[in-house]
Every structure is written in structure tokens, then in C-alpha cells.
Amino acid sequence: MAVTGPPGPVMDRDEVDRALARLGAEHKAVEDSLLALQDHAGRRLLEGAALTGTTEERWAATERTIALLWTYFDAYTDALRAAREVRARRRWPGSEELAELTERLCGESVAVPDAPVDGEPPEPSVRGPAERFTLEGLVARMNELYARSLDVVVSADAVWSALPARIDLLAAELHRTRSLARSVGVRPGEHPAGDDLEAITEELTSLRAQVVSDPLAFWRPAPGSSAPGVGRPDTDRYDRAARALEDVRREIEAVLQVRQDSESRLLRLRDLLSRADRTLAEARTARVEVLSKIAASEVPAVSGPPTALHERLATAADHRRHARWHRLSPLLEALEREAEEELLRARESLAAVTAPLAVRAELRGRLDAYRAKTARYGLADDPVLSERYDAARRMLWSAPCDLRAAEQAVLRYQRAASEVLSTGGHG
């Protein structure tokens, strides 16, 4: 809908004819726009919908605005018809007729009565003074009201065109996920994912009902734009529901994966716990040996077999036999983590228990290495070295061995060997 150009002060015949042609084109553009608005799919939906909230309020106001638009258009039509009748009186209009035409085409010659409400004119007793417009001003006013009305219609239609269909597709995906969940025993009240599915179902049902009844509550106009229907549907709630469903779907798929590979995972768990048991048994045997061979009170105690883990492993096997996949899934994950930790603890326990034997072996190796070095230089029979070597060797090869004393004996032998080799020029 365009706006007429600025009027001249007094028009001649040619100016009148051009103005009438322009106003006629305006009339056609306005009529086409109003008819298009009347036939707009969004308008028909708004008229037939049970609206609530923001949309109910704005549509009620828009209906009154559209009725006012037609009132303005009728007044515009009458004014244009009257001007054309004046122009048709004579081929060459005189000054009085040109003055009248100038007033009709440029002055505030259009009187518009109060707007009707819901298609009914107001009562005469409450009728106020008529508004007066120039034809140009009336077109500008109609443009303003048309843009406001079109914005409501287009915005509501955009939301209805976008969100319900997407919600329906998500609801179909939700239905498939619920069926899959039931097949693996994931149900509300029994599994968190089942509760999540129930919450998502309620949210989508509520969201769709609100979108259908109050679409304008889900419309976000584009900042800084005054054009009708420029913006986007607000999909925040839909997006949150979609993400929540995706999280549940991945969890259900994980449960399904458990159903497929649970046997191999249980076998691996049994192997891990068996290795942990054997390592702990080796550690207990080693501890007895260490306590008999090493005079030390720092040998740590060795824990018994992981009975609790074995019991939970039996529970996991029972879940598998009875197809309780939703319970088996988290239990397997926890058992796998704890079984790895148990094997690591068993290995650390064995290493801690056998550490004194490793220290004794290292001291024996160091003593023999220095003994071999002195022998290469013919110093093995040195009295001091022989005495210190024999003392260290007795300590290291006796049971129980005092590691601290043996280490000091080895150090004394090392120092003596170093001194002998140094004074003998064999450093």
C-alpha cells in the first residue's frame, strides 16, 4: 500500500487528472491489500481458533482494526467517487470546479465516522465527532493500520507453520523412544530415563496446546525492524525438549548395547576379579616369606579377596538372566571401574609386600659387583675387605635379614673397596 505524493496548492486540469489517476491506483492497491488480508490463511486460522493469552487480546484488537480499515476504505472510496463526479461534469472545468477538486483531493475533505465494533456501528447516543482526513492522510492511516494488522496475522501464521509440525515430529520420535525404552525395562518410577520420558511427554503436550492457542506468545520480533511479520518463532522450550529427548535416547541406546555385549563384559569382569584374587593370594604368600626372611615390621598387611565385588558380579549375572537391562547397565559400568581399581590395588599390595626382598636383592647385587671389581685388581684377599665382605654377606644371606644393618654393612664394604682401589691407583 503506497502513499500519495504531496499535494499542490491549487491544481489545474492536468494536475487534477494526474491526481485522480494516482488516487485511483492507490484505491486499487488498498483494495487488493485488504482483500489479500481477508483471504490470508493466518487470518482464517485466527478466526476459527480458540485463542488464549496474548493472541486472544491482540486478535480481538486486530479484528476491530480490520473493521476500521474497511470503514476508512469505504470513506476513501466515496470521496474518490465524489471527486470523479465533479471532474466528469465538464471536459474543461472552470475555476470553481478546480477549486472544489483541489479541496476534495488535497484538503481535509474526508469525514470518517466512529469505527464499528465487531462489525456493528456504535449507537447514535455514544457516537463521537467524525475524524477528518485528507485523502493522502487517510491512505497513510490505512497503511499504518494495515501494517499493524498484517503483523499479527503473519506472525501467528509463522508460528503455526513452524512449531506444531516440529513438535509433532518430536512427539513421533518420543513415541519410538518410549517403545524402545519399554523393551529394555526402562519405565517411569523404575529408571531415571523413564521419568525423563514422562516429563518430556508432558512438556510437549503442554507446549503444543499453548502454541496452538497462543501463537503470539512464541513470536520474537526482529530487533530494530518495523516491517510486518519480521522475526522468528521462539523455539527455546522445543529445543530444550529435543535435547532432553536426545540425552534419553543415547541412554536407551547404551542400555541396548549392554544387552548385546553384556556376556563378554561379564566374562571380562570375572577375569579381572580372578586376576585380582590371584595377585592378592600371591601377595599373602609373599608376605609370609618376607616376614620369615626379613627382619622388618613395615611389611604391610594384605587384604582379603573382594567379596563384595564378587557378590555384585553375581547380581549382575542375575540381572542378565532375567533381562533387567536397565539395572544391569549402570551396575556393569560401576563394576568395570571398581574391578580395574581392585586389580591395581592388588598389584600395588604385592609390590609393597615384596619390596624388602627387592631391596635385599639389590644389596646382594651391589655387594657382589664390588667384590668382583676388587677381584679384577687382585685385592679380593685384602684383610679389611675380606672381613667387611664376610660381615655384609652373612647379614644378607641370613634369615631373618636386618635390612638396615645389612645396608650399612654393604656401604662400609663399598667405602673400604673404594679406598683400597684409590690408594692402589685403580680408581
Side-chain angles (χ1 to χ4, degrees):
M1 297 173 71
V3 179
T4 59
V10 177
M11 293 187 290
D12 59 23
R13 188 189 71 160
D14 290 339
E15 289 174 331
V16 166
D17 289 343
R18 285 194 298 270
L20 285 171
R22 185 175 64 250
L23 291 168
E26 293 283 2
H27 181 274
K28 181 66 167 61
V30 170
E31 184 177 35
D32 289 346
S33 297
L34 289 176
L35 290 174
L37 179 60
Q38 195 75 15
D39 292 335
H40 197 288
R43 177 195 166 109
R44 292 197 298 270
L45 289 172
L46 284 164
E47 286 180 334
L51 303 175
T52 60
T54 300
T55 307
E56 181 181 23
E57 295 175 5
R58 291 187 63 187
W59 176 239
T62 300
E63 284 189 303
R64 292 191 293 270
T65 299
I66 293 173
L68 181 58
L69 268 171
W70 282 106
T71 299
Y72 284 164
F73 178 71
D74 290 342
Y76 183 87
T77 301
D78 292 342
L80 181 59
R81 183 187 306 113
R84 282 172 173 167
E85 289 174 355
V86 173
R87 176 64 184 88
R89 291 175 190 168
R90 297 168 61 183
R91 181 177 179 185
W92 299 96
S95 58
E96 291 184 3
E97 290 159 329
L98 289 174
E100 182 180 355
L101 285 168
T102 300
E103 173 61 24
R104 287 183 177 275
L105 298 177
C106 303
E108 291 185 347
S109 59
V110 187
V112 182
D114 281 353
V117 179
D118 298 329
E120 295 295 332
E123 295 295 329
S125 59
V126 296
R127 189 186 302 272
E131 294 182 271
R132 301 195 68 84
F133 294 92
T134 63
L135 286 174
E136 179 183 354
L138 186 55
V139 170
R141 178 63 172 153
M142 286 192 289
N143 281 339
E144 176 191 344
L145 297 180
Y146 174 81
R148 191 189 309 166
S149 303
L150 184 64
D151 181 66
V152 170
V153 171
V154 172
S155 300
D157 188 49
V159 173
W160 277 332
S161 297
L163 272 176
R166 295 174 69 180
I167 294 170
D168 289 344
L169 288 174
L170 190 61
E173 177 63 25
L174 173 63
H175 178 73
R176 288 190 292 270
T177 304
R178 285 168 65 99
S179 299
L180 199 60
R182 285 194 294 270
S183 73
V184 292
V186 174
R187 296 180 175 83
E190 299 179 11
H191 191 281
D195 296 334
D196 291 341
L197 285 174
E198 196 73 10
I200 295 169
T201 300
E202 294 175 0
E203 168 64 1
L204 287 184
T205 301
S206 170
L207 178 60
R208 195 185 194 287
Q210 291 176 35
V211 166
V212 169
S213 68
D214 192 9
L216 294 182
F218 296 86
W219 179 252
R220 295 295 174 263
S225 175
S226 59
V230 176
R232 65 171 182 84
D234 180 2
T235 62
D236 288 352
R237 285 177 61 185
Y238 168 86
D239 293 338
R240 284 195 297 271
R243 287 193 297 268
L245 181 57
E246 177 62 21
D247 291 342
V248 172
R249 187 185 62 78
R250 284 198 295 267
E251 189 168 349
I252 299 303
E253 288 178 351
V255 174
L256 283 171
Q257 189 64 40
V258 167
R259 184 167 66 180
Q260 295 174 5
D261 59 15
S262 58
E263 183 177 5
S264 63
R265 291 173 70 181
L266 284 171
L267 287 173
R268 181 175 177 275
L269 274 171
R270 292 189 182 98
D271 178 63
L272 282 173
L273 291 181
S274 176
R275 287 156 61 190
D277 287 347
R278 291 196 301 271
T279 303
L280 287 174
E282 185 180 350
R284 285 190 291 273
T285 300
R287 188 172 189 274
V288 173
E289 180 184 358
V290 169
L291 290 175
S292 66
K293 294 181 178 181
I294 306 295
S297 59
E298 296 84 359
V299 182
V302 180
S303 63
T307 307
L309 284 180
H310 283 286
E311 292 174 352
R312 292 169 65 201
L313 181 60
T315 300
D318 186 62
H319 286 334
R320 183 178 182 277
R321 280 193 300 273
H322 294 90
R324 294 191 289 262
W325 310 113
H326 63 292
R327 296 184 181 178
L328 179 58
S329 177
L331 181 55
L332 277 180
E333 291 179 5
L335 282 173
E336 285 168 340
R337 182 178 63 255
E338 293 171 25
E340 292 279 4
E341 293 170 355
E342 182 62 30
L343 179 58
L344 179 61
R345 280 195 296 271
R347 288 170 173 169
E348 291 173 345
S349 180
L350 177 61
V353 165
T354 57
L357 293 178
V359 171
R360 187 185 68 173
E362 189 272 332
L363 290 173
R364 285 177 174 181
R366 198 193 315 169
L367 180 66
D368 288 343
Y370 270 91
R371 172 73 169 174
K373 186 175 182 180
T374 58
R376 283 200 304 272
Y377 293 104
L379 301 173
D381 295 331
D382 181 270
V384 175
L385 291 180
S386 296
E387 186 269 331
R388 293 191 178 182
Y389 173 78
D390 290 340
R393 194 176 190 285
R394 281 194 303 273
M395 291 183 185
L396 287 172
W397 267 266
S398 63
C401 171
D402 187 335
L403 284 179
R404 290 190 180 88
E407 183 177 16
Q408 292 301 316
V410 171
L411 287 173
R412 284 195 297 272
Y413 178 73
Q414 285 181 230
R415 284 194 291 268
S418 298
E419 289 173 2
V420 170
L421 289 170
S422 175
T423 56
H426 303 291

